Amino acid sequence: GGPIVYEWWEYAPVGRHHLYPPLLHLLLAGCLKLGLSGVFVLRVVSILVVPLLFVTIYLVMRRLFNEPIALASLWSAMVPFSFPLHSAITLASSLALIELLWLLLAIERRRVLAAGSLLALLFYTHLGLPWVGLASLLCYGLLRPSIRPVLLKASWGLGVAIPWFIHLASHTQWLRPTWRYENETLELSILVYGFALVGAVCCWKQTGPARLLLSLWLGF
């Protein structure tokens, strides 16, 4: 009947307010309504999300720049084993990454309606990545003044996210950081970071869409 805003099962009999964005849950619930089993749906989504993310990286980069850069970006995403591994596990963040990439393309193409819609969708998909997206867009506005009018026009998406902001603000006492006792290893792909450093210098020297990549790096 709509987004779940209160969890009564996991914390029965008292329950607690549900603060995780609802988009992924609504998509999964839609699959359940079609008669598919929950385990089957999660398996299919876990299989599909990684190639969908890789295809998004390739298409967005090709439209922003050219095919060689798109292929290089795809290669960079495939090299670290942890990236596709976690992309298959953390479904909401993978979905948010896909939305974020299309948001950047919409901003660059001056498509205000699409940009605002994707910005709002980000906040209903993940708790953390929308703020990364906002930080990236702010950096882009600072590094490329000509894009600022587009950013201001696309900011209407924040208005669509206000109901979710109100829900979070009303129950901030339920937002507490906890140690997860996992992901305690650090993986450094020296070659990828080396190319990234060279790329950051190249993006800084240019004044066009290349600064969008630098802004995304700074945002993260």
Side-chain angles (χ1 to χ4, degrees), residues 60-128:
V60 169
M61 294 301 289
R62 191 179 68 174
R63 294 181 185 185
L64 282 174
F65 301 99
N66 53 50
E67 189 163 354
I69 292 181
L71 290 172
S73 303
L74 187 59
W75 171 82
S76 299
M78 288 180 171
V79 168
F81 173 71
S82 60
F83 183 66
L85 174 65
H86 285 282
S87 297
I89 298 173
T90 55
L91 299 178
S93 63
S94 300
L95 186 60
L97 275 175
I98 293 171
E99 295 166 357
L100 177 57
L101 287 168
W102 288 112
L103 167 62
L104 298 178
L105 179 63
I107 290 291
E108 187 59 36
R109 292 288 181 88
R110 272 72 171 173
R111 294 178 178 174
V112 176
L113 181 60
S117 300
L118 287 164
L119 181 60
L121 203 60
L122 260 177
F123 282 97
Y124 287 101
T125 304
H126 197 261
L127 273 176

Side-chain angles (χ1 to χ4, degrees), residues 5 19 22 116-117 119-125 130-131 134 154-171:
V5 294
L19 302 181
S117 300
L119 181 60
L121 203 60
L122 260 177
F123 282 97
Y124 287 101
T125 304
W131 307 106
L134 276 183
S155 63
W156 67 267
L158 295 175
V160 180
I162 286 178
W164 183 247
F165 295 154
I166 294 175
H167 176 66
L168 290 177
S170 301
H171 309 293

